[in-house]
Amino acid sequence: MAIASLYDPKLGIRFSSNHATAKVITGKQAVTELVNQTTALQGFDDNIINQAVLEITLTSAVIESFRDAPEVINF
């Protein structure tokens, strides 16, 4: 899969990657376990356990800017 962010209007930067995978997490038990393991998801809407979560994993990304040359980052 490929992913790209919008340019930040103040900084003029964005990221993109075509080295990504996506996994859909559904079901109350699976989403609850994910929320409990992921601090960034804690404090989200209390109804998150009734939602699907799209987990995107990047193995590399390109940071692009209006001012600077693109930079490739590998994870």
Side-chain angles (χ1 to χ4, degrees), residues 1-66:
M1 78 166 261
I3 186 170
S5 68
L6 299 174
Y7 277 102
D8 180 285
K10 292 182 181 176
L11 301 175
I13 59 174
R14 76 172 188 158
F15 77 91
S16 61
S17 177
N18 63 356
H19 294 224
T21 58
K23 175 182 173 184
V24 179
I25 301 169
T26 59
K28 289 183 180 184
Q29 182 176 348
V31 174
T32 299
E33 289 174 11
L34 178 65
V35 169
N36 289 339
Q37 296 170 5
T38 310
T39 307
L41 294 177
Q42 295 171 7
F44 256 67
D45 186 332
D46 291 337
N47 196 34
I48 193 170
I49 62 170
N50 295 312
Q51 308 294 318
V53 175
L54 180 61
E55 178 182 84
I56 300 172
T57 303
L58 305 178
T59 56
S60 69
V62 177
I63 308 299
E64 300 171 284
S65 167
F66 291 140

